[in-house]
Amino acid sequence: MKITDAKVIVTCPGRNFVTLKIYTDQGIYGLGDATLNGMEPAVASYLENFCIPALIGKDPRNTEDLWHYFYRGAYWKRGSVTMSAISAIDMALWDIKGKMLNTPLYNLLGGESREKVMVYAHANGKSLEEAIESVAQEKEKGFKAIRVQSGIPGQPDTYGVAKGAAFYEPAHPGIPHEECWDTSKYLNFVPRLFEKVREVFGNDLHLLHDVHHRCTPVEATRLAKELEPFHLFWLEDPVTGELQEGLRMIRKQSSTPIAIGEVFNSVYDYTTLITEQLIDYIRMPLVHGGGITHVKKVADFASVYHIQTGFHGATDLSPVNLAAAIHFNKAINNFGLQEYMPHQEIVQEVFRINYQFEDGFLTIDNTPGIGVDIDEEKASKYPYSPASLPINRKMDGTMFYW
Ligand code: GCO
Ligand code: MG
């Protein structure tokens, strides 16, 4: 079996997605997600100029060797752009493998460890009251786990809070717009928010919160300790993950579970975090973490240390990634929770999906491979539209993490 061709499809049904399509001499093709929010053309260019020419003529069944060809074989390693490209290649090859063997992807990754995959919703509001209302709406839809983000009194805009329309989407046209940030206002407010959420909704709901990399280890330790009485399912990215040792202080002093790594792209971002058991959930998704081949190894490594998966799943990850993640989560033993922000309806004009939400869980049908398809004619009606993620400054103008 040989790869005969491959192409990159960049389309913008409401938001940008990059999809890799790999063709074989047996009439089977595979799809992989290569979307990297705000950096779509960079991944497309790496795929088109470097990876695709090298793929032609290779045997698509050799997923392990081809992964190492593009990772180990490249002198300049890691980084979000190149790892997203490798992820898309790997995903497309596993899609081909499933189609070739006429079986859904999960059967190739361990079979069925569970029938359905628990997902968490996003609730957000400009104020505490609006956030509470939003939690009630998500609970009403059937979600058993809800992430809560709220506007902070005295702070003009806050990560994770929708500006006007119903859903939250951080990328905006043009160069990055600027947000601002005050850590002490944030730290004073968040425990009050969760106290109220528990008071209104009781103890059964799983609650999550995303700090979005904005605390130092000592600030994050204070937050994790003060949130303990409200027993979060997880506290996400409490500190920036660049300094793995930064998690030690939080871990020593608090029992609030920690999820980290949506911006990671390699097992080497996780070695200290996993071996020292400094975290509880792996956030690195298939689309940025080197695809199924690499993330399976990370998940297996984590399982030895009682660490579970909690993959990133915002709207900037395409339906191809989400479907692959559902297969993956269904198959492994150490699945924890999957993020689920439903895509806008227009996305389904371009992507034919094979998963379904019901009562807090996602299920996937038995279409061979990953099971998602793309309508290229429809995709061409929505051309790429440049958009960037915001940047963030402290109140005095100092550049900070977004
Ligand atoms: C999350 C994430 C997202 C990211 C976004 C960036 O936990 O869902 O933090 O909201 O900010 O994916 O493109
Ligand atoms: Mg996050």
Side-chain angles (χ1 to χ4, degrees):
M1 194 175 191
K2 293 229 175 320
I3 295 171
T4 50
D5 199 5
K7 71 169 153 190
V8 180
I9 303 158
V10 185
T11 179
C12 186
R15 70 154 359 278
N16 292 312
F17 294 112
V18 182
T19 308
L20 176 69
K21 188 169 183 179
I22 298 181
Y23 299 87
T24 66
D25 58 359
Q26 308 211 352
I28 295 172
Y29 61 83
L31 296 182
D33 183 16
T35 311
L36 184 61
N37 205 3
M39 296 193 178
E40 296 86 356
V43 186
S45 162
Y46 184 62
L47 279 167
E48 279 164 352
N49 293 302
F50 175 73
C51 306
I52 291 178
L55 272 171
I56 313 293
K58 301 263 188 326
D59 188 330
R61 292 171 296 188
N62 298 336
T63 41
E64 185 70 19
D65 183 68
L66 282 170
W67 193 89
H68 286 280
Y69 180 95
F70 288 105
Y71 179 81
R72 202 176 288 238
Y75 186 59
W76 310 112
K77 288 181 182 50
R78 299 168 65 179
S80 304
V81 173
T82 51
M83 291 305 286
S84 298
I86 296 177
S87 304
I89 295 168
D90 187 74
M91 236 184 265
L93 296 179
W94 279 92
D95 193 23
I96 291 169
K97 211 190 278 290
K99 287 174 176 169
M100 194 185 83
L101 298 169
N102 197 28
T103 193
L105 175 64
Y106 68 83
N107 275 334
L108 306 178
L109 304 175
E112 201 172 75
S113 284
R114 60 194 58 75
E115 284 171 10
K116 51 189 186 173
V117 163
M118 185 161 69
V119 291
Y120 73 89
H122 281 215
N124 67 79
K126 285 179 209 64
S127 62
L128 192 149
E129 293 70 28
E130 276 187 27
I132 297 284
E133 230 172 84
S134 174
V135 175
Q137 283 164 12
E138 298 307 315
K139 190 168 177 271
E140 189 57 33
K141 291 179 197 161
F143 283 100
K144 314 283 178 253
I146 301 178
R147 161 188 132 146
V148 192
Q149 308 292 135
S150 166
I152 314 291
Q155 192 177 283
D157 45 21
T158 308
Y159 161 77
V161 178
K163 295 247 171 342
F167 61 90
Y168 171 72
E169 180 59 68
H172 295 283
I175 62 162
H177 78 270
E178 296 195 9
E179 295 185 350
C180 64
W181 179 251
D182 184 323
T183 305
S184 72
K185 285 193 169 61
Y186 170 78
L187 288 176
N188 289 336
F189 174 74
V190 173
R192 273 177 29 221
L193 169 68
F194 280 90
E195 185 178 22
K196 189 70 191 171
V197 176
R198 277 288 175 231
E199 192 188 304
V200 175
F201 298 97
N203 284 327
D204 282 347
L205 204 55
H206 296 307
L207 298 178
L208 301 86
H209 180 69
D210 190 350
V211 184
H212 221 255
H213 327 265
R214 288 166 187 206
C215 286
T216 61
V218 74
E219 289 162 352
T221 304
R222 167 182 157 192
L223 182 63
K225 283 169 75 169
E226 290 186 10
L227 287 172
E228 264 177 18
F230 317 116
H231 40 91
L232 263 53
F233 190 96
W234 78 44
L235 185 66
E236 179 183 337
D237 290 328
V239 293
T240 164
E242 288 145 333
L243 181 71
Q244 295 191 32
E245 295 84 344
L247 271 294
R248 285 183 186 142
M249 188 188 291
I250 309 172
R251 199 55 159 186
K252 269 194 199 124
Q253 298 192 47
S254 152
S255 64
T256 295
I258 304 293
I260 201 161
E262 69 182 32
V263 299
F264 290 179
N265 48 63
S266 157
V267 68
Y268 301 109
D269 295 316
Y270 271 117
T271 44
T272 305
L273 299 179
I274 292 176
T275 55
E276 293 189 23
Q277 293 178 279
L278 300 179
I279 57 168
D280 302 277
Y281 297 95
I282 300 280
R283 289 280 291 155
M284 185 173 78
L286 301 176
V287 56
H288 303 141
I292 292 148
T293 298
H294 189 58
V295 179
K296 180 72 164 67
K297 289 174 186 173
V298 177
D300 290 344
F301 175 37
S303 75
V304 177
Y305 294 87
H306 303 283
I307 295 166
Q308 294 171 282
T309 62
F311 293 154
H312 185 205
T315 41
D316 45 284
L317 281 55
S318 97
V320 179
N321 172 78
L322 180 58
I326 300 167
H327 286 287
F328 192 104
N329 290 326
K330 189 172 156 123
I332 61 167
N333 175 264
N334 59 325
F335 163 68
L337 187 62
Q338 170 67 48
E339 181 175 16
Y340 177 49
M341 277 177 93
H343 291 110
Q344 294 176 54
E345 250 168 57
I346 190 179
V347 173
Q348 282 189 49
E349 275 185 35
V350 173
F351 292 96
R352 185 189 60 84
I353 63 166
N354 59 333
Y355 47 82
Q356 218 185 332
F357 173 81
E358 205 190 321
D359 202 29
F361 294 83
L362 279 172
T363 52
I364 194 140
D365 72 18
N366 280 333
T367 309
I370 294 172
V372 169
D373 211 346
I374 188 164
D375 182 331
E376 290 185 54
E377 208 187 298
K378 293 268 171 56
S380 68
K381 288 192 182 140
Y382 302 106
Y384 168 67
S385 166
S388 316
L389 286 171
I391 59 157
N392 194 28
R393 289 184 188 276
K394 290 187 185 174
M395 295 295 195
D396 69 355
T398 310
M399 270 303 294
F400 198 47
Y401 296 102
W402 178 73

